[in-house]
Amino acid sequence: MSRFKISCRTGVLIVLALIVGTSCNHRSKVNTESATYEDVEEMAWVDNIVRAIADRDSTAFATLCHYPIYRTYPLHDIVDSTEMVRYFTTIVDDSLRNAITASTPEDWELAGWRGATVYSGEYLWCDPAVYAIPYQSAREKTLLDSLVRADLATLPDSLASGWRPEDCMMDSLSGTIYRIDMRDWDDFECRAMVYKSNEKLLGVPDQILYGKLEIQGTMATQVYTFDLPDGAEMSILFSWYEDSRMLYIEKEGKEVVSRPLKKAYWLDWAEQDK
C-alpha cells in the first residue's frame, strides 16, 4: 500500500499568487484540512515525488512537474523539464529534501481545487504534478539578491533608489517594454517605466508612471493600474491561472486598447543595449 493518497482534481493551473506569492511576495492564507484515513490511499504520485527528492533524482523529479514553475523575478521561471534538471540542485537543498522525505500523510493537507500541499504550503504544491515550489534555498536567495542588484545597477541612481524589480513585459506588436517596480517596503505602490522600441533601455524611459497594485478575485489576478497624462487609465493584468499578461487602456469609460503582453527579463534586454 502506498504511503499517501490525497483526493484532488488533476490538471488545474493554480493561482500561485494566492497561495505562495513566489513572484511578488504578496502572501495570502488558504484554508486547508489534514488528510483523513479515507484520503490516504494509493497516492502513488506523492510517493513518486518523495522518492525523487529523497534520491536526488533530478530527471525523475522533472517529469513530475507542471510547467512553468514560477520563481521570484528577476529569477527566470523554470519552463520545462530540461531547465528543471539543470536547476534541481539550486532549489532542492538538504532542508527541502529532509522535510519532504520525513513527511507523513498527516503532514499533507487539502486545499480544494488548489490541490494538495505539505506543511501548510511552505515547500511545494501538487495536483498531482508539482506546480509550485514556494520554498527558496539559501543558494537561490543568494542568486536572487545578486540578480536584483545587477538589475538595479542598470538604472540611473535616481531611478534605482527606493525601488525593487517586480516584473518586465513586452508588447510584441509595438516592441514597447514595460518595466514594473515596487516601492521598497510597500507591497502595493508600483511604478511602470515605459520604453518604446527605438529607445535605449539604459537611460531615462519615455514614460514613468506611478500607480497601485491590487489583487483581484479568487484567481488572485495582479492588476497594476496607472493614470496616463491624457486622463486615460492604463492597467496591466497578470493572471497566474491563465499564465497571461494583458494591457488595457480606458478613457472616459471606454476601452481603447486591449492586447496581450509577453513576459520579458530586463537584464536580458538591457544586456543587448550596452
Side-chain angles (χ1 to χ4, degrees):
M1 184 174 180
S2 176
R3 288 180 62 202
F4 301 93
K5 180 178 186 299
I6 297 178
S7 302
C8 57
R9 291 186 301 163
T10 62
V12 179
L13 289 178
I14 235 53
V15 186
L16 190 58
L18 179 62
I19 300 172
V20 295
T22 54
S23 175
C24 59
N25 296 322
H26 308 296
R27 296 182 178 271
S28 299
K29 293 183 179 179
V30 295
N31 294 322
T32 58
E33 58 185 36
S34 296
T36 65
Y37 179 79
E38 288 73 20
D39 295 317
V40 184
E41 308 167 349
E42 299 178 5
M43 193 174 172
W45 50 277
V46 167
D47 276 335
N48 292 337
I49 293 168
V50 172
R51 187 178 304 110
I53 292 174
D55 294 344
R56 296 185 172 90
D57 189 338
S58 59
T59 301
F61 183 77
T63 67
L64 301 172
C65 294
H66 176 82
Y67 300 98
I69 300 288
Y70 295 102
R71 308 317 294 156
T72 304
Y73 187 86
L75 291 170
H76 280 246
D77 295 336
I78 306 170
V79 299
D80 57 30
S81 59
T82 299
E83 290 193 1
M84 177 57 78
V85 169
R86 184 166 55 245
Y87 202 73
F88 182 81
T89 56
T90 297
I91 202 169
V92 181
D93 64 357
D94 287 343
S95 293
L96 186 150
R97 179 177 178 271
N98 293 340
I100 297 301
T101 56
S103 66
T104 67
E106 290 72 26
D107 297 319
W108 289 78
E109 298 169 313
L110 308 177
W113 63 272
R114 299 178 182 92
T117 187
V118 63
Y119 302 128
S120 300
E122 182 179 353
Y123 291 95
L124 56 80
W125 289 76
C126 47
D127 189 31
V130 175
Y131 61 79
I133 306 175
Y135 177 78
Q136 285 187 332
S137 67
R139 182 178 174 184
E140 190 176 40
K141 289 176 181 176
T142 297
L143 177 59
L144 175 60
D145 289 344
S146 175
L147 288 174
V148 167
R149 289 194 299 271
D151 180 290
L152 293 174
T154 66
L155 302 177
D157 290 343
S158 60
L159 296 178
S161 180
W163 297 91
R164 64 184 187 274
E166 165 83 351
D167 208 340
C168 185
M169 310 168 205
M170 180 180 181
D171 184 333
S172 298
L173 294 177
S174 67
T176 298
I177 290 178
Y178 298 86
R179 177 196 166 99
I180 307 294
D181 298 298
M182 300 300 298
R183 179 77 72 179
D184 277 345
W185 313 114
D186 189 321
D187 284 340
F188 301 100
E189 185 179 353
C190 57
R191 174 184 72 182
M193 294 199 291
V194 184
Y195 295 81
K196 294 183 179 179
S197 59
N198 59 349
E199 282 190 285
K200 297 282 287 183
L201 296 184
L202 302 182
V204 177
D206 177 67
Q207 279 186 313
I208 302 178
L209 305 171
Y210 297 92
K212 292 291 183 180
L213 166 65
E214 182 180 355
I215 307 298
Q216 293 186 354
T218 60
M219 302 304 177
T221 300
Q222 294 171 231
V223 183
Y224 305 90
T225 303
F226 309 91
D227 292 328
L228 297 177
D230 63 358
E233 181 181 86
M234 182 182 82
S235 297
I236 295 177
L237 278 64
F238 177 27
S239 170
W240 293 94
Y241 183 78
E242 298 176 344
D243 188 28
S244 67
R245 293 164 170 80
M246 291 292 298
L247 171 70
Y248 296 101
I249 296 178
E250 292 186 1
K251 190 170 185 179
E252 297 177 355
K254 296 182 179 179
E255 186 176 279
V256 294
V257 173
S258 173
R259 58 174 174 262
L261 303 174
K262 68 177 183 179
K263 184 162 187 174
Y265 291 92
W266 175 264
L267 282 171
D268 294 349
W269 285 99
E271 183 67 25
Q272 298 178 24
D273 273 4
K274 284 185 178 180

